Structure formats: C-alpha cells, structure tokens
Amino acid sequence: MDELKNQPCPICGKNTLTLSQEDYNIPHFGEALVFSMHCDSCKYHKADIETLEVHDPAKYEFTIESVEDLSVKVIKSANATVKLPNARLSSEPGSGSDGYISNIEGLINRFEKIIQDQRDLSEDKSAKKSAKNLLKKLWKVKLGEIPFKVIIEDPTGNSAIVSERAKITKLKVKKWKYYLLMQNQKLIL
C-alpha cells in the first residue's frame, strides 16, 4: 500500500490528511485500484475503487438465499446505486459517496446503521415502528430465513457482485450523462 501522509485536508486545511492507494487483483473482476483520503483532525474520509480495465455500464442482481450468500464479495464504486427492492431501500451516489470492497453482509450492515440512526433520532412513532420492521426484515435475511434481492447499478462499470449466480446486464445510461461521468473520472485521475 502506498501512503502519502501530512497532506493538506480539503475540509479543515490542516496537514493531517493521509492519502493511500492499493492495487488489487480481484477474481472475476480484474485489476483495481482502491484509494482513500482520511484526515486525523476533522475525520474527513473519502474512498473509491477504480477498475484498471475498461468496463461497460452494468447492473448486477443477486438474490440472497442462504447465510452463506452473506459472504459473497461486493465491489461498489462511488458512482454506483445500491438497491434492496424487497425492503424498498436504495442508496444513490452523491458528492460524499464512497466506494468500497465488502461482502453482502457488510452492505446490509451499512443500511442497518442508517435505519438505526434514523430510528434513534426520530420522534415520530410510526417512523420508529417502520424502522423496527425494516431492521427485523434485514435480521431475517441475515439468518437466511427469507430470500432477498440486492441490485447494484454502476454507469462506470467499476462495481460488481462477485458470484456465478449474479445476473449481469448492460445498464442503460443516457449518453450525455455517461459522457459527463467519464469526463469527471478523467479529471480525477
């Protein structure tokens, strides 16, 4: 892993930012570069993954059918949308989106944390009850009691669900959006 320490943080301006990057060879995905920034002062963090090979825009679908499926590897770029249609949940990319390498369980854990935080901050009883029901459903998924679909849509092709059972289709992206996204990627690199 390559690191560059004591860099100026874009948020707080202090020289406490660490830049890091690491090359990975991910089976069934290819060569990838994972990079991150973390500031020790203000705790700013940004991470992403970039494939070193050209991939087309793609949509990955995977149905969790057992506890073993929770260990299926997930690669999510900062540009990807993650959907859990059985729970009517989705995570859209934005300026603060991170890319990561995890597994199905880690992906579900991220959604659980958001739901728990919203439940704890809400004063609305119906919102608390809805959050409780969603958390219960996700718990049953993690116990392998109910099948559950996970969808990742990535216009850059830098994401994947690494399983032979994952259904991969071409993601339809408006040409002008794809062009702008690719131009932005070139500026980042």
Side-chain angles (χ1 to χ4, degrees):
M1 178 186 303
D2 295 328
E3 283 191 348
L4 197 56
K5 294 183 178 274
N6 303 318
Q7 298 301 302
C9 175
I11 304 302
C12 70
K14 295 181 181 174
N15 290 333
T16 54
L17 185 79
T18 300
L19 304 170
S20 62
Q21 72 177 34
E22 187 167 359
D23 293 329
Y24 283 91
N25 184 354
I26 303 166
H28 311 291
F29 184 71
E31 295 289 322
L33 177 66
V34 176
F35 62 91
S36 66
M37 298 183 274
H38 179 78
C39 179
D40 290 330
S41 295
C42 70
K43 305 304 179 203
Y44 169 72
H45 182 84
K46 177 75 176 154
D48 201 0
I49 182 166
E50 294 287 335
T51 180
L52 298 178
E53 302 166 7
V54 176
H55 292 172
D56 290 327
K59 177 180 180 178
Y60 295 85
E61 296 180 65
F62 182 80
T63 300
I64 302 164
E65 298 172 346
S66 68
V67 173
E68 290 78 24
D69 290 340
L70 297 174
S71 63
V72 168
K73 186 173 293 227
V74 171
I75 302 159
K76 185 239 174 242
S77 82
N79 297 305
T81 297
V82 178
K83 297 178 180 180
L84 306 179
N86 301 83
R88 293 184 297 232
L89 296 172
S90 68
S91 173
E92 301 281 333
S95 60
S97 293
D98 278 336
Y100 53 84
I101 298 174
S102 186
N103 58 24
I104 296 285
E105 183 174 19
L107 187 142
I108 292 172
N109 288 345
R110 289 170 184 264
F111 277 93
E112 282 180 325
K113 174 77 171 103
I114 293 166
I115 296 166
Q116 289 167 349
D117 289 348
Q118 289 179 347
R119 175 200 62 199
D120 296 345
L121 294 173
S122 179
E123 296 180 15
D124 180 8
K125 288 184 181 183
S126 66
K128 285 183 179 278
K129 183 177 180 179
S130 177
K132 179 183 169 187
N133 290 337
L134 277 173
L135 290 169
K136 186 176 181 180
K137 187 173 202 170
L138 294 177
W139 177 250
K140 287 183 177 184
V141 170
K142 289 166 80 173
L143 293 175
E145 293 180 4
I146 56 174
F148 200 77
K149 185 180 276 192
V150 175
I151 299 171
I152 299 178
E153 298 174 341
D154 191 341
T156 64
N158 286 326
S159 297
I161 298 174
V162 185
S163 169
E164 291 179 3
R165 289 191 9 244
K167 179 183 171 190
I168 306 165
T169 56
K170 185 173 181 177
L171 180 64
K172 294 178 182 168
V173 179
K174 292 184 178 177
K175 287 184 181 181
W176 65 270
K177 283 186 179 180
Y178 182 70
Y179 175 78
L180 290 175
L181 193 56
M182 297 320 308
Q183 290 303 313
N184 188 40
Q185 291 237 328
K186 288 177 186 171
L187 292 175
I188 292 170
L189 298 174

